[in-house]
Amino acid sequence: PEEHKHVDSHAMWIDPEDPSYYLSGCDGGIYESFDRGENWHFKSNLPITQFYDLEVDNREPFYFVYGGTQDNFTLGGPSRTASASGIVNSDWFVVRGGDGFQIEIDPRDPDTVYAEAQYGALVRFDRRTGERVGIKPFDEPGEEPLRWNWDSPLLLSPHAPTRLYFAANRLFRSEDRGDSWTAVSGELSRGIDPNTLPVMGKIWPPEAVAKGDGTSQYGNSTALAESPLEEGLLYVGTDDGVINVSEDGGGSWRRLESFPGVPEMTYVSRLLASSHTAERVYATFDNHKSGDFAPYVLLSEDRGRSWSARVEGLPENGPVLAIAEDPVDADLLFAGTEFGVFFSLDRGGKWVQLKGGIPIIAVRDLAIQAREQDLVAATFGRGFYVLDDFGPLRGLRAEALESEALLFAVRRAWRYLPARPLGGEGPSFQGASFYNAPNPPFGALITYYLKEPLETAKQKRKKAEKEAEGGSYPSLEDFRQEQEEEPPRVTLTVRDADERIVRRIEGPTGKGIHRVSWDLRHAPARLESEGALAGPGRYSVSLSRTVGGVTQELAGPESFLVENLSTVPQPEQDELQRFRLEMERLLAAYRGAREAARELDRQLEDVRKALRETPGDVGELTEATRGLQDELKDLLIALEGDSVLRDYGRPAPMPLLSRAGRLAGELNGSTGPPTGTHRRQFQLLEGELPGLLDRLRRLREEEWRQLEERLVESDVPWTAGRLPRWP
């Protein structure tokens, strides 16, 4: 029995000690049963989805990622959320069933999604209602049946938001969102009968096992592109190695059947029409079904009339499965291969592997979210990966990396208070089996580059000794300086529009490219606490280093925008911002007063112990110490509360620190204006603080100092906080 379990099982384990316990591995993942398969528990915390294709929308403020999967439908979900739990499984939704493939999203309406299952089973999905309308073109009576690929190419025209192109062995166009279709080409493939082609060196008879089973009908379209710059400039690639070019929207076609360095009849995996010049087009080919795993990437600068290979640096045995071009930097390309993601800074002249945590796995598709400058990769077995803000790669050239340091442009940062729908951060109380993908770092993402690492004098000496295989022993003075030297620091200084310093953030000091996130908060009013959230507006950041106590500016400033996610009117947010900053200062003052009072109380307790060890008559000193402690106790009760009343089970007045902490917490939980209660509590706290500080100052600076002198004169044993006397 497999009720409520995915099909296509591949592996199974039965516990030899408990034959009622099953583990099943299938196309849906891993399932567990405790009752011989009557009921199944799905393991939902394994990010192992196999994505064929992906697309991103332009939803504000956070875009969605859509992907077609192997036997697990077409799915959509957010690239990030405003939740402290990150992105959870319930944030995702099914667009359509079956094996999922190519997706397009209406640029004006992100809730209108076009998605297909195998063999061109295309639907238009309305996320508002959940309805799906089938819009696959039908075969015309009397015509040869259409041949659709397992992953049929689909394109939403960049020139008309209601125009779709969809390719079988012929290309179809719709001007009304798929409600009706017109064929705009004839046969696009070579039209070869696959039964005449040798497989493993021979022609197989009709009775051969599984002959043609589970495969696409040969001779169909596999890749499709339209120039973003010239309407009607179309490219269609096929599974038998043909690229068809039309410059008039399908009215006439030019056919290309051979390409330099590419074996004849090689599968066309992707076509990419450049967004920088209408003459430029890229093509990738995949010949692994013929036992050829070489990468094939070609560039044409004349609409396919001539081609040049662009494969230096790509894995020799890693077919190229996807390609993407930066819409800003014409020279910046990305390639998805069987072994991860690669990038090129010179239009494919040389490729470099892009790591950053992505596994060495097949990357079947790539998409660029232009607004956010994100690169999204669809992997075949590990789900989606997002490279947040690849902007630093734009315009980056080898000569730039010879600079001592670089500070890259900072994209817009969203300002909001993360929600806690699960009651806490991450999985909260949901247990280890609850899956959550982390959100991108909150705040402003700052990227910088150091040509060389920052090293201490000791590190430099040891490096020189290693290179020289020995060296001179350091002098005593040099050794002392090494011991006393402060570690080198990299500092990112954030300033507001009025050039006031808002925050200093320390970053990594090693060689290479680093990223640091400013959490949009001011410097804390007290160490080991969190500063108030900075307001929206224009900010800047600069990069400096401190080595040997000397600070040097390295790069910047780079300006960036912090924008509100909240719908609360700006004047109300500004009011809260001012109020919150004052509250942070007030809370820090109360906490500082509490720590000063506790420290004095500890010193007085030590004195009482010392007095018990002092020979002679110390009754007056003991009484004076007790009196000072009693007055300090009253002050601590006002700050922290009356523990005797609490222990006795009686209601106790709210202490000042609890009142201040609660007020600060409530203010930090909202972007709206302070309430009347908040204002009243602030006035109360602000009014109590001066008198409390005066009492504490008198106890510390007058009465304690006077007592301290008497303790010294009476030869009371030394205690912490007192200066000893000699002779």
Side-chain angles (χ1 to χ4, degrees):
E2 289 191 313
E3 188 175 7
H4 305 304
K5 175 186 171 295
H6 204 287
V7 297
D8 291 352
S9 295
H10 303 291
M12 189 169 183
W13 181 78
I14 301 174
D15 189 345
E17 303 295 328
D18 179 7
S20 295
Y21 181 76
Y22 298 172
L23 284 175
S24 175
C26 61
D27 273 15
I30 294 178
Y31 288 79
E32 178 183 45
S33 175
F34 296 89
D35 55 8
R36 296 177 181 262
E38 291 295 326
N39 297 282
W40 294 94
H41 176 252
F42 175 60
K43 300 301 181 182
S44 61
N45 59 346
L46 297 174
I48 53 175
T49 308
Q50 296 175 313
F51 281 104
Y52 286 110
D53 300 282
L54 79 96
E55 190 54 87
V56 295
D57 68 14
N58 287 313
R59 188 181 305 269
E60 290 271 13
F62 308 137
Y63 66 90
F64 277 19
V65 181
Y66 291 83
T69 74
Q70 160 62 35
D71 214 4
N72 280 270
F73 309 158
T74 296
L75 309 173
S79 62
R80 76 179 299 165
T81 68
S83 167
S85 292
I87 306 165
V88 300
N89 288 337
S90 59
D91 291 320
W92 291 83
F93 53 91
V94 173
V95 175
R96 74 146 304 143
D99 293 82
F101 295 101
Q102 298 192 26
I103 313 101
E104 293 288 349
I105 302 103
D106 190 318
R108 304 169 307 175
D109 176 17
D111 286 325
T112 296
V113 182
Y114 303 91
E116 59 172 303
Q118 53 266 58
Y119 305 129
L122 183 64
V123 301
R124 186 175 66 237
F125 172 67
D126 188 334
R127 185 165 176 261
R128 288 170 292 257
T129 64
E131 293 182 358
R132 300 170 181 87
V133 178
I135 57 173
K136 176 183 178 180
F138 276 83
D139 297 345
E140 288 296 323
E143 293 187 354
E144 183 179 346
L146 296 169
R147 297 187 300 276
W148 296 93
N149 192 268
W150 181 256
D151 182 0
S152 299
L154 172 68
L155 175 68
L156 182 61
S157 174
H159 302 284
T162 60
R163 181 182 301 156
L164 289 167
Y165 289 99
F166 197 29
N169 58 311
R170 303 173 69 188
L171 180 65
F172 292 86
R173 183 177 66 219
S174 172
E175 299 289 350
D176 52 10
R177 306 191 309 154
D179 286 348
S180 59
W181 295 93
T182 302
V184 292
S185 81
E187 178 66 44
L188 293 168
S189 76
R190 299 175 192 263
I192 299 173
D193 181 355
N195 293 310
T196 65
L197 298 175
V199 177
M200 293 184 289
K202 63 176 287 186
I203 303 296
W204 293 81
E207 295 80 12
V209 175
K211 180 175 171 60
D213 182 35
T215 63
S216 302
Q217 292 184 333
Y218 191 65
N220 55 63
S221 299
T222 56
L224 173 61
E226 181 181 20
S227 169
L229 302 176
E230 185 173 320
E231 187 173 0
L233 175 52
L234 300 169
Y235 300 90
V236 186
T238 69
D239 62 349
D240 54 6
V242 176
I243 295 180
N244 302 273
V245 185
S246 175
E247 301 183 48
D248 57 4
S252 60
W253 291 88
R254 179 162 41 91
R255 188 180 183 88
L256 312 171
E257 294 189 349
S258 63
F259 306 90
V262 180
E264 187 180 6
M265 297 176 63
T266 298
Y267 187 105
V268 182
S269 56
R270 298 286 174 179
L271 291 168
L272 172 64
S274 175
S275 59
H276 297 280
T277 169
E279 304 303 308
R280 184 176 302 148
V281 61
Y282 296 91
T284 67
F285 299 80
D286 179 3
N287 201 35
H288 82 274
K289 291 183 180 180
S290 297
D292 173 16
F293 292 88
Y296 297 103
V297 180
L298 269 60
L299 164 65
S300 174
E301 296 284 8
D302 55 9
R303 306 188 182 202
R305 292 178 174 84
S306 62
W307 299 85
S308 61
R310 316 293 281 182
V311 296
E312 183 183 346
L314 291 172
E316 294 182 1
N317 62 338
V320 175
L321 310 173
I323 189 167
E325 177 194 56
D326 180 26
V328 175
D329 182 353
D331 295 329
L332 178 57
L333 294 180
F334 301 95
T337 77
E338 192 71 25
F339 301 109
V341 180
F342 289 73
F343 74 99
S344 172
L345 299 174
D346 56 2
R347 249 176 282 166
K350 183 176 182 180
W351 294 91
V352 177
Q353 189 167 15
L354 190 61
K355 297 180 180 179
I358 190 170
I360 306 301
I361 195 169
V363 174
R364 298 292 299 261
D365 201 5
L366 295 169
I368 288 174
Q369 216 294 333
R371 184 189 70 228
E372 301 299 328
Q373 304 171 178
D374 285 355
L375 177 70
V376 187
T379 74
F380 206 64
R382 293 291 297 277
F384 288 128
Y385 280 79
V386 180
L387 174 61
D388 297 296
D389 188 12
F390 66 79
L393 295 176
R394 288 176 173 160
L396 187 62
R397 301 295 179 263
E399 53 270 21
L401 297 179
E402 293 302 314
S403 302
E404 189 175 27
L406 298 171
L407 181 62
F408 298 99
V410 182
R411 68 178 179 183
R412 173 186 60 179
W414 285 106
R415 175 185 182 272
Y416 59 93
L417 294 171
R420 285 175 167 75
L422 300 179
E425 295 187 357
S428 188
F429 311 124
Q430 303 301 311
S433 64
F434 184 85
Y435 179 76
N436 67 297
N439 274 319
F442 176 83
L445 192 60
I446 303 166
T447 309
Y448 65 94
Y449 163 80
L450 298 176
K451 182 182 178 184
E452 299 294 340
L454 305 188
E455 298 176 322
T456 63
K458 182 177 181 179
Q459 289 170 327
K460 291 177 181 177
R461 171 176 61 80
K462 295 183 74 172
K463 183 178 179 182
E465 289 172 353
K466 183 177 181 180
E467 292 174 352
E469 297 184 355
S472 59
Y473 200 79
S475 68
L476 177 61
E477 185 58 32
D478 289 341
F479 192 66
R480 188 186 304 279
Q481 288 180 2
E482 285 183 7
Q483 300 299 311
E484 296 176 353
E485 182 183 8
E486 293 183 10
R489 299 192 309 275
V490 164
T491 303
L492 295 154
T493 303
V494 179
R495 293 178 171 85
D496 64 16
D498 296 322
E499 291 297 309
R500 293 174 300 205
I501 293 177
V502 176
R503 187 78 175 275
R504 288 189 177 93
I505 308 163
E506 292 192 10
T509 60
K511 176 182 179 180
I513 293 178
H514 302 286
R515 283 193 146 166
V516 173
S517 181
W518 172 45
D519 61 3
L520 306 187
R521 292 191 176 273
H522 286 269
R526 176 178 172 271
L527 288 177
E528 300 179 1
S529 66
E530 190 175 62
L533 197 65
R538 181 67 59 176
Y539 292 83
S540 66
V541 61
S542 58
L543 176 70
S544 65
R545 70 179 179 192
T546 302
V547 180
V550 178
T551 299
Q552 176 189 1
E553 291 294 324
L554 293 177
E558 285 289 338
S559 177
F560 62 95
L561 185 65
V562 173
E563 190 168 329
N564 268 325
L565 190 62
S566 172
T567 57
V568 175
Q570 191 59 52
E572 294 183 8
Q573 295 195 49
D574 292 342
E575 180 186 11
L576 176 65
Q577 180 68 13
R578 290 189 294 269
F579 196 85
R580 187 186 286 135
L581 285 171
E582 286 298 306
M583 187 61 231
E584 289 291 330
R585 292 179 60 245
L586 189 65
L587 179 59
Y590 268 105
R591 285 174 171 168
R594 186 259 311 273
E595 292 306 317
R598 282 181 174 179
E599 178 62 28
L600 181 54
D601 190 49
R602 285 191 292 268
Q603 291 174 347
L604 290 170
E605 188 60 32
D606 286 346
V607 167
R608 292 185 66 176
K609 293 176 182 177
L611 285 170
R612 291 196 289 268
E613 300 293 332
T614 303
D617 184 9
V618 291
E620 290 186 10
L621 287 174
T622 301
E623 197 63 33
T625 302
R626 184 182 296 112
L628 196 53
Q629 271 193 303
D630 288 345
E631 191 169 354
L632 194 61
K633 186 197 321 182
D634 291 340
L635 193 147
L636 282 168
I637 286 175
L639 281 168
E640 298 180 316
D642 193 335
S643 61
V644 174
L645 284 176
R646 286 196 300 268
D647 293 345
Y648 196 69
R650 293 290 182 87
M654 179 180 282
L656 294 169
L657 257 175
S658 297
R659 195 179 296 271
R662 173 179 159 184
L663 178 54
E666 290 184 3
L667 291 172
N668 285 331
S670 169
T671 57
T675 67
T677 300
H678 293 152
R679 298 178 195 280
R680 167 64 185 145
Q681 293 304 307
F682 183 86
Q683 291 172 355
L684 186 153
L685 290 164
E686 191 178 37
E688 290 286 338
L689 184 60
L692 185 146
L693 290 177
D694 285 344
R695 289 173 61 193
L696 183 57
R697 193 175 294 110
R698 175 176 56 80
L699 292 174
R700 281 166 51 92
E701 298 177 6
E702 296 179 15
E703 297 190 25
W704 164 242
R705 295 306 172 198
Q706 293 171 9
L707 178 61
E708 187 178 28
E709 291 176 5
R710 294 172 63 190
L711 295 172
V712 172
E713 291 170 358
S714 300
D715 287 329
V716 175
W718 178 84
T719 54
R722 293 165 47 205
L723 280 173
R725 182 176 68 173
W726 185 263

